[in-house]
C-alpha cells in the first residue's frame, strides 16, 4: 500500500485524491496519542487495509518513542490480536 503519512494520520488516497482509508491518532501529550478513528471505504473492505494502517501507525509510534491509548473499537481489537505491539499501550 502506498500510504500517505501526515501528522497524526496515515491515509490512503485514490488517484483523484479522494480519501479511501485512514487511521487518526491525535496527540494527548508529548509522548502519547489517542488512536481514535479508523476508516476504510466500502470498496476496500475485507482486504486487510485497516490492519495495515494500524500496523503502520504502530511502527511509526514505536520509531518515535510514543505510547498509544486506543479508543477506536477497531484499534482496541487490533492491539488485543497483536500482543507484539503491547509495549506501545499506555
Amino acid at each position: 500500500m502506498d500510504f500517505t503519512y501526515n501528522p497524526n494520520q496515515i491515509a490512503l488516497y485514490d488517484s483523484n485524491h479522494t480519501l479511501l482509508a485512514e487511521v487518526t491518532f491525535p496527540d494527548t501529550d508529548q509522548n502519547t496519542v489517542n488512536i481514535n478513528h479508523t476508516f476504510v471505504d466500502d470498496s476496500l473492505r475485507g482486504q486487510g487495509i485497516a490492519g495495515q494502517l494500524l500496523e503502520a501507525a504502530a511502527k511509526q509510534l514505536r520509531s518515535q518513542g510514543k505510547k498509544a491509548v486506543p479508543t477506536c473499537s477497531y484499534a482496541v481489537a487490533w492491539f488485543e490480536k497483536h500482543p507484539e505491539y503491547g509495549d506501545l499501550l499506555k
Side-chain angles (χ1 to χ4, degrees):
M1 279 295 125
D2 190 18
F3 293 135
T4 300
Y5 290 76
N6 297 311
N8 303 103
Q9 179 208 42
I10 300 174
L12 178 65
Y13 297 95
D14 68 11
S15 59
N16 295 320
H17 302 287
T18 301
L19 181 67
L20 296 176
E22 73 174 343
V23 59
T24 59
F25 41 96
D27 293 325
T28 56
D29 62 40
Q30 283 186 325
N31 301 310
T32 311
V33 300
N34 173 9
I35 303 176
N36 66 349
H37 176 69
T38 306
F39 162 75
V40 176
D41 186 78
D42 289 342
S43 66
L44 295 176
R45 294 227 172 131
Q47 298 180 38
I49 305 297
Q52 291 176 46
L53 284 168
L54 261 294
E55 184 171 16
K59 287 179 179 180
Q60 180 175 324
L61 294 174
R62 183 174 279 157
S63 74
Q64 295 172 344
K66 291 189 174 185
K67 297 287 186 179
V69 176
T71 57
C72 161
S73 60
Y74 183 86
V76 169
W78 187 88
F79 275 99
E80 288 174 359
K81 293 177 186 173
H82 294 87
E84 66 272 25
Y85 292 106
D87 62 298
L88 296 175
L89 297 176
K90 185 169 183 180

